[in-house]
Amino acid sequence: MQVLGDLVADGRGRDGPLFTAPERTAPYSYRDFCTNAWKGGNLMRHYGVRKGTRVAVVAGPKNPVDGDEPGYLGTAPDPLLAVLAATLDGAIVDVDPPGAVDATALVAPAAWLDRYELGPGTKALAYGGPSDDPTVAQFERELWSENPLQPPGDVAPDDPALAGERTYTHGDLLAASERVVAENDLSDETTVALRAPVTTAGAIVAGLLAPMQAGATVLLGDDDADVAVAPEGVDVPEERVIRPSDISV
């Protein structure tokens, strides 16, 4: 695999579950998630997302309540889908955006959009909600009707994909995910509880890319798993823990 798009294309050939959550009536399969990532890439292209543009993604529950914090997923992986979709177009994704967003697109829970000041050229796409603002695109609704084909684009391993403490390339992220798989003995029989905020490259690698490399299943919610992805200092029920801050990307 050379770029993140290769990981998505490979996932379309898997039949097993990529995400499960107690509230879901059925698991979210690799095939469905990766097909929707293609749809998401095509959707974002309608709003100007191209190679070298920037996309801000705020992770959170679809319908946040008091006490929910940006960065922590709810029981739906829409923010992770948006991250992958944007990278398929060659965009650079910021998963910990500031209050003033200067990007081609912002993807966030509808209830949190008013926390962000959008630049004049920034398109807001909301999941959950829906938003009452007619200028905001409804991410899930528009995704449903989008083209389920691989987005066009020329993306190379040394192209930037993720903004953080530095800018991480497609090659950086894939190499780090391969190391996580090997060091933690992840396989297609492993379940991974994502208990960390997905606001760093280490969390994206450990909570999404490494499980996809291995064919593992990511648990969203409170159920116990074989392995947990959790911040330093946070106690979890799992004996095996991957700390995003320990991952070298």
Side-chain angles (χ1 to χ4, degrees):
M1 293 184 184
Q2 301 296 312
V3 297
L4 296 177
D6 296 335
L7 188 61
V8 175
D10 181 72
R12 287 194 74 250
R14 295 183 184 273
D15 293 322
L18 174 51
F19 293 100
T20 64
E23 290 82 358
R24 290 189 65 91
T25 57
Y28 199 162
S29 72
Y30 270 86
R31 183 182 301 276
D32 288 346
F33 180 82
C34 292
T35 299
N36 283 337
W38 280 3
K39 287 184 173 185
N42 289 318
L43 171 60
M44 290 188 185
R45 291 181 68 83
H46 293 314
Y47 296 111
V49 176
R50 298 288 190 279
K51 186 174 182 178
T53 61
R54 298 183 77 89
V55 173
V57 178
V58 179
K62 285 196 174 189
N63 295 291
V65 298
D66 290 345
D68 286 333
E69 299 178 20
Y72 285 90
L73 288 174
T75 56
D78 298 64
L80 298 181
L81 177 68
V83 169
L84 279 181
T87 65
L88 296 179
D89 293 326
I92 306 163
V93 182
D94 185 354
V95 290
D96 190 19
V101 176
D102 182 16
T104 300
L106 166 69
V107 184
W112 286 349
L113 283 177
D114 59 1
R115 300 185 179 191
Y116 298 90
E117 179 183 347
L118 275 58
T122 303
K123 178 65 178 181
L125 295 97
Y127 57 91
S131 173
D132 295 329
D133 186 341
T135 68
V136 174
Q138 219 292 324
F139 185 68
E140 303 103 308
R141 182 176 63 237
E142 297 202 15
L143 188 74
W144 182 83
S145 60
E146 193 48 71
N147 191 335
L149 298 177
Q150 188 169 15
D154 182 17
V155 182
D158 58 354
D159 286 340
L162 194 69
E165 293 183 353
R166 63 178 181 85
T167 302
Y168 305 94
T169 68
H170 286 252
D172 292 335
L173 297 171
L174 286 175
S177 66
E178 290 170 356
R179 290 193 294 271
V180 169
V181 170
E183 291 169 3
N184 295 277
D185 196 26
L186 303 185
S187 74
D188 59 2
E189 297 182 352
T190 305
T191 54
V192 179
L194 181 50
R195 307 191 188 280
V198 288
T199 54
T200 64
I204 295 293
V205 167
L208 176 65
L209 304 182
M212 288 184 68
Q213 286 268 15
T217 300
V218 178
L219 305 186
L220 303 178
D222 297 328
D223 287 352
D224 294 356
D226 299 318
V227 184
V229 177
E232 192 70 37
V234 173
D235 292 331
V236 296
E238 291 79 12
E239 293 184 4
R240 297 164 57 195
V241 184
I242 303 171
R243 306 294 185 185
S245 58
D246 291 341
I247 295 173
S248 176
V249 183

